[in-house]
Amino acid sequence: MKTQTFQTRVMATLLGLLWLLSGLQAQNGGDYFSVTGIVKNKSNKKKLEQVTVSAVGSPVSTVTNEDGEFTIKIPRFLQVKEVEFSAAGFFNLRIPVSNENLTNQAIFLTPRSIQLDEIQVISWKDPRMLIEAAIDKITDNYSTSSNLLTGFYRETAQKGRKYINISEAVISIYKTSYNEDAEQDKVQILKGRKLLSIKASDTLAVKLLGGPNLSVNVDIVKNPYVLLDKETLKFFRFRMGPVTSIDDRLQYVVHFQPIQVDLPYPLYYGTLYIDRENLAFTRAQFYLDMRDRYKVTSLILKKKPAGLRFNPESVSFTVTYKQRDGKTYLNYIRNEVKFKCDWKRKLFATNYTIVSEMVVTDNQMDDINAIPWKAAFRQNQSLSDKVMSFYDPDFWGAYNIIEPTESLDSAVDKLKKQQE
């Protein structure tokens, strides 16, 4: 069956682990100003991660890191007057800007409680029918022309709490129309850097296969076989959740979980967010069903040394989209894989965590060309093999990135010292 074959291939590409024993001119340079700060919940003062930070009236954007921190770099020629902050379950907030640097901004977002009269207008009773209706609206809600996105991608590998691999890149992402499948979509590395631990105890390293292609493979709207294929909806149970808001627009919330079914690969459970007005998918959080560890292992583990025991713990994804000028565009993707491994003669297992995330920072829609096949990042390549080491503190220049957390900055310093 095409769906099964394609889904198995996509999932294997997304999650495959290889074990080893031994752009746009506006962002690439020019005159820009920066806005930096931290975003918190106004009610409890907790730091908010994955908040979208956008230059209003332009496609320039980024997201906050796990500490709620952000930096957005805005080309002055865009004449941007406001920066907007948006997060699921909160009112949007805008602050004025005037082509000059703004530093240490404290941004407080107000939680939005949905009023009873807003809930009453929501009429969908069958969540599966809602999802099918949203699938039918994809060609209306998403771009019908090719786009050339600029994105920032980061992947990290931790052994316990210690970082052993940090790789980052600015990428160019060519996406064909959402009327077409993702076969012609490609990713190109524009600029990147890496840091790898050189300690003997860390020589059992992990690399993500095709990591930057996360932006192509995990776009669940463009790649429906990952999650939104009508043929496989029968394998899930759905229920409606409480209404919420994203970008000051009401959202249907649909929870889903797999039913017991004999398939050669594991399925997902999670939550979909669907815009009430136009039925666009705006957010998805989903997790690999871990009940059959053998199926999970056979899916995500491509190769391992003899004598090594591998035990997957969790695999999760977050995908978000943002509406602009009447269309909905890919915004942010995060993937986390946790597992344990140990040697047969050793008493204790070691915990590993791999995190990869990508944020779209710009979008060019006019006069674009497809990324040549020779320049495209291959599905079987590893980012750390394609980029240089960390040295220049001003490496990224005018490119927008996801600000590193304090713990990541500390890890970078430690890994740099190993190289000296």
Side-chain angles (χ1 to χ4, degrees), residues 80-344:
V80 169
K81 302 299 183 184
E82 293 179 307
V83 170
E84 183 175 63
F85 302 83
S86 61
F90 292 84
F91 284 106
N92 287 10
L93 177 68
R94 292 186 177 188
I95 63 171
V97 294
S98 57
N99 270 10
E100 299 298 331
N101 292 337
L102 282 177
T103 60
N104 301 319
Q105 297 296 296
I107 307 299
F108 294 94
L109 298 188
T110 302
R112 177 175 181 178
S113 57
I114 306 301
Q115 302 299 316
L116 183 60
D117 57 343
E118 294 177 306
I119 296 175
Q120 287 175 338
V121 301
I122 296 174
S123 57
W124 287 92
K125 303 297 183 183
D126 186 332
R128 177 173 169 179
M129 289 182 62
L130 170 60
I131 291 174
E132 290 180 348
I135 292 173
D136 290 338
K137 294 276 288 182
I138 285 175
T139 54
D140 294 330
N141 288 322
Y142 298 83
S143 179
T144 55
S145 60
S146 297
N147 286 248
L148 190 64
L149 313 178
T150 299
F152 175 74
Y153 174 83
R154 176 185 288 137
E155 63 184 45
T156 62
Q158 288 180 266
K159 178 182 179 183
R161 296 185 176 181
K162 180 176 65 174
Y163 286 92
I164 59 175
N165 184 347
I166 303 169
S167 300
E168 304 174 328
V170 171
I171 59 178
S172 185
I173 309 154
Y174 176 74
K175 279 190 177 290
T176 56
S177 162
Y178 275 73
N179 294 325
E180 307 174 49
D181 61 32
E183 290 292 322
Q184 300 303 315
D185 294 2
K186 296 181 180 66
V187 172
Q188 181 179 5
I189 306 298
L190 300 180
K191 191 174 188 180
R193 61 183 186 176
K194 66 180 178 183
L195 274 174
L196 304 177
S197 173
I198 61 174
K199 289 187 176 180
S201 59
D202 295 334
T203 54
L204 181 64
V206 179
K207 292 184 180 180
L208 290 178
L209 296 184
N213 284 315
L214 193 76
S215 54
V216 171
N217 296 329
V218 195
D219 182 347
I220 63 168
V221 177
K222 190 73 186 292
N223 258 335
Y225 301 109
V226 177
L227 199 60
L228 298 176
D229 177 37
K230 282 188 177 181
E231 289 186 35
T232 61
L233 294 183
K234 61 187 176 184
F235 299 140
F236 297 88
R237 184 179 296 109
F238 303 93
R239 65 180 178 87
M240 299 295 293
V243 177
T244 189
S245 69
I246 297 176
D247 273 340
D248 290 339
R249 297 168 66 95
L250 291 182
Q251 307 287 319
Y252 298 116
V253 177
V254 180
H255 303 293
F256 62 93
Q257 62 183 40
I259 61 177
Q260 290 289 350
V261 59
D262 186 19
L263 294 174
Y265 52 85
L267 295 172
Y268 295 104
Y269 65 94
T271 305
L272 296 170
Y273 298 76
I274 301 172
D275 187 278
R276 193 196 71 179
E277 293 183 31
N278 61 9
L279 298 188
F281 293 100
T282 55
R283 184 181 180 93
Q285 294 171 285
F286 51 105
Y287 311 82
L288 200 60
D289 186 353
M290 307 297 291
R291 287 178 292 185
D292 191 327
R293 299 300 176 98
Y294 174 79
K295 287 182 181 179
V296 173
T297 299
S298 63
L299 177 68
I300 72 174
L301 186 62
K302 306 301 290 184
K303 185 179 180 181
K304 72 177 181 69
L308 182 74
R309 292 183 292 201
F310 176 86
N311 183 26
E313 295 290 312
S314 64
V315 179
S316 65
F317 293 92
T318 298
V319 184
T320 72
Y321 298 84
K322 186 170 180 64
Q323 296 194 36
R324 189 177 69 253
D325 299 328
K327 293 293 183 180
T328 305
Y329 299 91
L330 181 66
N331 179 54
Y332 174 77
I333 297 176
R334 187 180 193 275
N335 171 221
E336 181 178 272
V337 182
K338 291 186 176 183
F339 58 93
K340 292 182 179 180
C341 61
D342 67 291
W343 299 94
K344 290 181 179 179

Side-chain angles (χ1 to χ4, degrees), residues 25-27 29-33 74-80 99 362:
Q25 189 175 25
Q27 287 203 348
D31 192 19
Y32 67 92
F33 69 98
I74 306 171
R76 284 194 168 89
F77 77 85
L78 292 176
Q79 294 295 310
V80 169
N99 270 10
D362 212 336

